[in-house]
Amino acid sequence: QDEGSRPAQGIALVYATRQVNWAYGDRVEALGRLETPPEFPDFSYCDYLARQGVHSQMPLASVTRLGSGHGNPVLQQLHAYRTHAQAVLRTLLPEPEASLLSGILLGIESGIPAALRQAYNTTGTAHNIAISGFNIAIIAGLFSRLFTRWLGARRGALASLLGIAIYTVLVGASASVVRAALMAGLAIVGQRLGRQGDALAGLGAAAIVMTAANPYTLWDVGFQLSFGATLGLVLYADPLKIAFVRAVGRWTTAERAARLAGPIGEYALFTLAAQVTTLPLTAAYFHRLSLVSWIANPLVLPAQPAVMVLGRVAALAGSIWLPLGRPLAWIAWPFVAYTNRVVEWFAGWPSASLPLGDVGPFVVGLYYALLFGLTLGRGWLQSRWPQVKLPALSISTGFGALAIASVFVWHAAGDRPDGLLRVTVLDVGGGGAVLVQSPTGRTVLIDSGPSPVALAEALGRRLPLSESGIDALVITGSPAETCAGLQGLEGRYPIALALVPTRLKASGCRAAEAVLVASGTRFIRAASGMALDLGAGARLEVLTSNTSGLVLTIAHGWASFLLPLGADPELVNALMRSGDLEEAKV
């Protein structure tokens, strides 16, 4: 032991080399320095590990294996099969489908490429990778049906419970998986006892059992999202389906509306119900809001039962005899590939997700207070005044509000900076005006043209609805048409900074200057070499400034552009002959 060291006990996270095939049950000796896990600005890794009983980490460790096979024999066999099944999937299927299937079936997500994982996050379909209630429901249904048919009702129920428990441990027993497994187990027991199932009571019972075993479960993000999604399905899935049948029943028969409600409810309305209760959590933890999830999920979900069932059969068959699993894997591959391609396509949409700032606990709490307040209030009003047709009113109002919110969200998303430098020549009725929109959303107006009406219209068509001002104005010369149109900006687009030539001769320009100064615009006399930082590496620079006007360059990345708007043509020709513009790419 080093001087100053002291004995310690407990569980530590040790970082070991990947060159060794470590396995569950290995007995190892780790030499290194124990440290407290770090705290990041938007994520506490220390608290995350503490919820799993880990309070220390050893980043730089020298690890030696002392022996193997010292773990629980059952767990050792499960972990060995998990590793073998992952190797089988990698042999049977190409990437990235093999890694995606490993995540869906085995809970091993480490092999999924970063770009593909980001696509799932962007489209709000990442829950298809993580094993949760949907996977457990399919597994529980298969086990219950098969074992009941083979072993009878009583033994089949016991075998189903055992199978669910083994599968839960096999895939890692995360909080979301344990929650789903407990609910599935309670449903099977209730069915065996002849008791009518209640999903809300089952959800509450699962939460009580899990938090009694580990109170830190309440702070587990996976548990919160899984609990929220299930609660949304319990509370809102059936009302949405009933409302859909009533709405469609106005234009067709009740039987046809009921048939349509089956697939639409399962893949669209149920997704909407789950998203209603997970929206604030997603915004708070991931700082983004997917704008395509309500379209992407209904297209992806129908393929998931085939992905899980066919993929699992292929993995089992390949584990027994690899050639046996190959044709089955070929049958499963189109469904896995379809899932990836749909997600990647939607992720490529402009503004597929809306980046958000910090969403604090107050906003999350307020959202849930309003949501559940309206839910409980609607039930109370219905019980008090049953003659009032609240379902149709509330559903139509809800969908109307959703449509209006969607329009504004899509508009806001389209208005957000997209990382591109945009230089637009405005049609302002003669003269010249250029609008520069930087990669980070800053706006620069170069000259204004002679018409206030034309300038106001041109800016209104190109600037976002939420835009309340212009960051900088550049006047390149003295002619009145370079600044006469500025009167059209008064009151609508305040200008923070104005960069102007040494002297503005025209009376119209001097009048515009007086108005801008009175409104708080800061004026700076341009000098050669002066530059404006537009963000993300983009910059606007004054190449020359003299009595004839300004010559500007705009640069971003490898490209630069010359803007000699207010300069004398002879001056520009002289600059080009002198070689001062050799770096500019016009």
Side-chain angles (χ1 to χ4, degrees), residues 497-517:
L497 172 69
L499 195 63
V500 299
T502 305
R503 184 180 179 186
L504 292 176
K505 298 179 181 179
S507 60
C509 288
R510 292 198 301 269
E513 180 179 6
V515 172
L516 292 175
V517 169

Side-chain angles (χ1 to χ4, degrees), residues 223 279 370 579:
F223 172 78
L279 177 64
L370 291 174

Side-chain angles (χ1 to χ4, degrees), residues 35-61:
E35 298 177 357
T36 301
E39 298 269 0
F40 301 106
D42 56 349
F43 175 68
S44 175
Y45 192 49
C46 182
D47 292 343
Y48 171 78
L49 293 178
R51 290 194 288 269
Q52 305 175 56
V54 180
H55 300 280
S56 301
Q57 66 175 8
M58 190 179 291
L60 301 175

Side-chain angles (χ1 to χ4, degrees), residues 14-103:
V14 178
Y15 293 84
T17 176
R18 294 185 178 182
Q19 305 302 321
V20 180
N21 292 323
W22 307 101
Y24 171 80
D26 288 349
R27 178 170 292 174
V28 301
E29 179 184 67
L31 299 177
R33 184 181 183 86
L34 289 176
E35 298 177 357
T36 301
E39 298 269 0
F40 301 106
D42 56 349
F43 175 68
S44 175
Y45 192 49
C46 182
D47 292 343
Y48 171 78
L49 293 178
R51 290 194 288 269
Q52 305 175 56
V54 180
H55 300 280
S56 301
Q57 66 175 8
M58 190 179 291
L60 301 175
S62 175
V63 185
T64 304
R65 178 156 42 199
L66 304 179
S68 302
H70 295 279
N72 182 288
V74 176
L75 293 180
Q76 191 166 329
Q77 290 298 320
L78 288 176
H79 283 288
Y81 171 76
R82 191 185 191 201
T83 303
H84 176 64
Q86 182 187 20
V88 168
L89 289 174
R90 286 180 173 176
T91 303
L92 296 178
L93 293 171
E95 294 290 354
E97 284 71 35
S99 293
L100 179 67
L101 205 54
S102 294

